[in-house]
Amino acid sequence: MAAEAGEDEKERAPRSQTLVRGLEIIDAVADRARSIAEIAAMTGLTYSTVHRIVSVLLERRYLKAENPREFCLGPRLIELGFAAYSQTDLVRVARPWLENLSRETRDTVHLAQLDGWEVAYLDKLRGARPVEISSRIGGRKPVVSTGVGKALMLDETEATLSRLYQRDHHLLPGGTTEADWLKLMEAYRTGGYSYDLGEDEPSIRCVAAPIRDATGRIIAAISVSSTLEYMSPDRMRDLVPEVQRVAQAISTDLGARPR
């Protein structure tokens, strides 16, 4: 066992060392653009090592070329910074809006984020109606069969949506073809909202809308959920603008521009 552990450490060491070097290079250009020679002098790395790692960081958008010879922080770091900020403040910022939405609709309200091919529930407010919904804070459900999941995917490409369908189409109502699924998602994309029409639980319906950060990227989604008894098709249509209004208000509080 000790020998195996030693081998594992040997395999991990080069990768860890490369990661540390990459982070040192990013730190070296944090205040201004620098050349490869300057970065090498600051980090103590060889010119060839810096050149190799800078090439990868440029490809992944962690760095950008300020000019042919100098490099600075890239857009990916800005995106990650906004994402980190949004994740830190998201639940706190969203909570008052969600409380008002739950109080006004008397229904269960969710806040969720994407986690791979699943949604992770960050917050849940139970409504005033005698309705039990199986979701829970910290729980996960498939993207394809939830309203918040579809809302989180509104900006995704058709290729990504096709992969999602191929992976989880068995969770959709029988007879739902890929063409049906793509047509439905296109309609949701155009409208800026999505529904759960019983894909997750046959008796549950929900209306969902995406939350965006300062870059315009979808980072979360909210939904209003209840049973068929309280969620007729007409009421779902009536709820769409209200759910969108609250999602936009949360987005604005997170730095997004009005859409």
Side-chain angles (χ1 to χ4, degrees):
M1 292 294 290
E4 290 180 5
E7 289 299 320
D8 288 343
E9 289 184 6
K10 288 179 182 178
E11 290 179 5
R12 285 197 299 267
R15 297 179 201 160
S16 301
Q17 192 174 49
T18 300
L19 174 60
V20 170
R21 289 171 174 173
L23 294 173
E24 289 175 347
I25 289 171
I26 289 173
D27 285 340
V29 301
D31 58 342
R32 67 174 180 86
R34 299 183 190 276
S35 67
I36 288 180
E38 289 176 314
I39 297 171
M42 289 183 66
T43 60
L45 302 173
T46 65
Y47 186 98
S48 60
T49 297
V50 173
H51 187 278
R52 173 173 53 82
I53 296 175
V54 164
S55 296
V56 175
L57 293 173
L58 283 170
E59 181 182 336
R60 302 302 296 268
R61 300 170 58 242
Y62 287 90
L63 296 182
K64 67 178 181 179
E66 186 75 0
N67 58 56
R69 294 187 177 183
E70 292 184 323
F71 307 92
C72 62
L73 300 180
R76 181 59 180 153
L77 289 170
I78 298 174
E79 294 168 2
L80 290 174
F82 277 123
Y85 171 81
S86 297
Q87 289 172 9
T88 300
D89 284 358
L90 178 57
V91 175
R92 177 182 62 80
V93 169
R95 179 46 96 100
W97 293 103
L98 301 183
E99 288 175 348
N100 287 336
L101 184 60
S102 180
R103 185 164 51 249
E104 291 171 2
T105 62
R106 305 186 70 235
D107 293 316
T108 298
V109 173
H110 295 103
L111 172 70
Q113 281 187 322
L114 194 64
D115 186 5
W117 295 108
E118 295 181 314
V119 295
Y121 288 95
L122 304 181
D123 206 354
K124 176 181 178 178
L125 287 80
R126 299 181 185 277
R129 304 185 197 278
V131 171
E132 184 62 35
I133 297 176
S134 64
S135 57
R136 60 180 176 81
I137 297 174
R140 285 167 167 73
K141 290 194 175 186
V143 167
V144 73
S145 58
T146 54
V148 284
K150 298 185 193 79
L152 287 163
M153 301 296 285
L154 291 184
D155 286 351
E156 295 297 334
T157 64
E158 185 173 300
T160 298
L161 295 176
S162 292
R163 288 197 297 274
L164 178 58
Y165 175 86
Q166 293 299 328
R167 171 189 163 86
D168 286 337
H169 64 87
H170 62 282
L171 299 174
L172 297 172
T176 302
T177 66
E178 183 172 345
D180 293 335
W181 161 250
L182 294 176
K183 183 178 180 180
L184 178 67
M185 290 301 295
E186 180 59 32
Y188 289 153
R189 187 203 312 274
T190 300
Y193 70 93
S194 61
Y195 288 158
D196 173 356
L197 295 171
E199 295 99 327
D200 183 44
E201 298 179 53
S203 64
I204 299 298
R205 298 292 183 271
C206 84
V207 179
I211 295 171
R212 298 177 183 272
D213 66 10
T215 69
R217 185 173 60 92
I218 293 175
I219 58 164
I222 63 171
S223 68
V224 173
S225 305
S226 194
T227 59
L228 276 168
E229 180 183 359
Y230 304 106
M231 277 287 198
S232 67
D234 286 345
R235 182 164 187 256
M236 291 180 73
R237 282 192 294 271
D238 291 343
L239 278 173
V240 168
E242 180 63 11
V243 176
Q244 289 177 318
R245 182 189 68 79
V246 173
Q248 178 59 60
I250 297 169
S251 299
T252 300
D253 282 353
L254 293 171
R257 294 180 179 181
R259 294 174 68 84

